[in-house]
Amino acid sequence: GGEPLMVTGQTASVGIYKELERQGNLPSSMTFETNGTQKLREPFIEWASSIPEEVFFSCSPKLFTVSGEKPEKAIKPEIVAEYTKASNKGQLKLVEGSADREWDEMESAVEKFRSAGVDWPVWIMPTGAREEEQTAGAGKVAEKAFKRGYNVAARVHVYLFGNAIGT
């Protein structure tokens, strides 16, 4: 849990990489699961854009209709657009239910990211912290996503662990 792109996380990521490099144990890629609200600092951008390994940003902005997060705090397309200075590899991953108001907000948010130059693929995950909630709405969410040309991802941790790991 937590936000890996806070300033301390950016510094730690570079440090972890250097230690893995010292050990001769570098991964072929690194994924940063982020809400897309943290500005990247120049040392992180310089590091991520210069290493041969893939740096991938999985940005999961929180929508007000789903999470209650205020859009002015949660939807930061100008910040996510800056991530492309570090790597052009990434995705937008949004959690959705089947309500039309959620989809309207999501479409508006995606348009803001597109207008800022973020052309990453969009993945939709159905809402629900428990398997029953997932099962009840996943089909409707998948249908809406596919009709709009988006990808669909299951919340596998819910199916495997239920709410046992703090989901």
Side-chain angles (χ1 to χ4, degrees):
E3 173 54 57
L5 294 180
M6 292 177 71
V7 175
T8 54
Q10 292 177 45
T11 302
S13 295
V14 175
I16 291 167
Y17 177 90
K18 288 179 179 178
E19 177 57 24
L20 291 172
E21 184 177 43
R22 186 189 70 74
Q23 294 176 16
N25 191 24
L26 285 172
S28 60
S29 66
M30 291 158 279
T31 297
F32 291 90
E33 178 72 31
T34 175
N35 63 16
T37 64
Q38 300 299 307
K39 184 170 177 43
L40 297 182
R41 301 310 192 254
E42 199 52 47
F44 183 90
I45 293 171
E46 187 177 310
W47 164 75
S49 62
S50 67
I51 61 173
E53 295 77 21
E54 178 183 86
V55 174
F56 188 90
F57 294 104
S58 181
C59 293
S60 187
K62 307 302 179 248
L63 300 172
F64 179 77
T65 54
V66 177
S67 70
E69 292 279 337
K70 293 183 178 184
E72 58 272 13
K73 291 180 80 176
I75 308 299
K76 301 286 188 176
E78 68 285 354
I79 287 177
V80 175
E82 292 287 314
Y83 293 4
T84 62
K85 290 180 179 177
S87 172
N88 64 357
K89 305 285 186 190
Q91 67 184 13
L92 294 173
K93 185 178 67 173
L94 297 127
V95 176
E96 283 291 318
S98 58
D100 287 340
R101 64 186 171 83
E102 295 174 19
W103 286 85
D104 292 344
E105 182 188 11
M106 186 269 304
E107 292 284 3
S108 174
V110 168
E111 181 53 40
K112 289 175 185 173
F113 285 101
R114 296 290 187 245
S115 293
V118 179
D119 63 354
W120 295 337
V122 175
W123 286 82
I124 304 296
M125 294 179 73
T127 58
R130 294 189 323 266
E131 187 174 353
E132 301 80 28
E133 295 168 329
Q134 289 282 300
T135 304
K140 290 178 188 171
V141 169
E143 183 180 342
K144 285 185 175 213
F146 290 142
K147 282 183 178 176
R148 289 168 170 79
Y150 298 132
N151 303 292
V152 177
R155 297 182 73 155
V156 178
H157 59 282
V158 173
Y159 292 113
L160 293 177
F161 304 105
N163 205 26
I165 57 171
T167 58

